[in-house]
């Protein structure tokens, strides 16, 4: 199993990210009120629902790219840029708006930022491998 994942790391990461984002979007839609309460007073149900819609679209995008035989480098770069913006935005929230977060909200934002940074790194590694394979 790991050999197959390693063989096409980029495709695997894009598909896994797509599934996770889509599932997170569905969960946020279903539980926008409780999630908002857990995160903090600024996380209104409308804001959480907005994030849910974003996650659903972002998930569909990743699934579409991940289903390609060789994921489009331009699409992967777009996904990586989105991940980088997410990490930077999360850091900004933690530094500038942590007063509007509960301790659980701070933890959720921080853990999500680390997870997205890890996925970003895997996308970069996979893209590098794909480009080297094309040159070989």
């Amino acid at each position: 199993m790991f050999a197959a994942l390693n063989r096409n790391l980029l495709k695997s990461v894009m598909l896994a990210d797509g599934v996770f984002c889509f599932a997170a979007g569905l969960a946020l839609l279903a539980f926008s009120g409780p999630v908002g309460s857990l995160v903090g007073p600024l996380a209104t149900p409308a804001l959480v629902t907005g994030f849910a819609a974003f996650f659903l679209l972002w998930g569909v995008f990743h699934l579409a790219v991940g289903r390609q035989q060789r994921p489009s480098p331009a699409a992967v770069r777009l996904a990586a840029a989105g991940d980088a913006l997410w990490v930077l935005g999360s850091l900004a929230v933690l530094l500038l708006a942590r007063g509007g977060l509960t301790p659980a909200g701070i933890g959720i934002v921080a853990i999500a930022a680390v997870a997205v940074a890890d996925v970003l790194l895997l996308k970069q590694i996979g893209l590098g491998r794909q480009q080297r394979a094309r040159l070989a």
Side-chain angles (χ1 to χ4, degrees), residues 13-14 16-17 62 80 83 113-125:
V13 169
M14 293 300 287
D17 200 8
H62 277 76
D83 291 346
V114 170
V116 172
D118 289 344
V119 170
L120 169 60
L121 178 61
L122 289 172
K123 287 176 186 172
Q124 294 294 350
I125 291 168

Side-chain angles (χ1 to χ4, degrees), residues 1 17 21 23 28 30 37 52 62 65-66 70 72 77 87 107 113-114 133:
M1 178 175 133
D17 200 8
C21 288
L28 289 175
S37 296
H62 277 76
V65 173
R70 288 187 180 235
S72 160
R77 284 188 196 95
V87 172
V114 170

Side-chain angles (χ1 to χ4, degrees), residues 11 13-26 29 51-68 75 78-79 123:
K11 184 176 178 80
V13 169
M14 293 300 287
L15 288 171
D17 200 8
V19 168
F20 179 82
C21 288
F22 195 81
L26 290 175
L29 274 178
F51 274 106
F54 167 77
F55 277 122
L56 290 170
L57 294 173
W58 196 238
V60 168
F61 167 73
H62 277 76
L63 289 170
V65 173
R67 291 192 67 194
Q68 297 171 351
L78 177 64
K123 287 176 186 172

Side-chain angles (χ1 to χ4, degrees), residues 94-113:
L94 291 172
L95 292 173
L96 304 173
R98 69 180 167 269
L101 298 172
T102 63
I106 291 170
I108 290 167
V109 171
I111 290 168

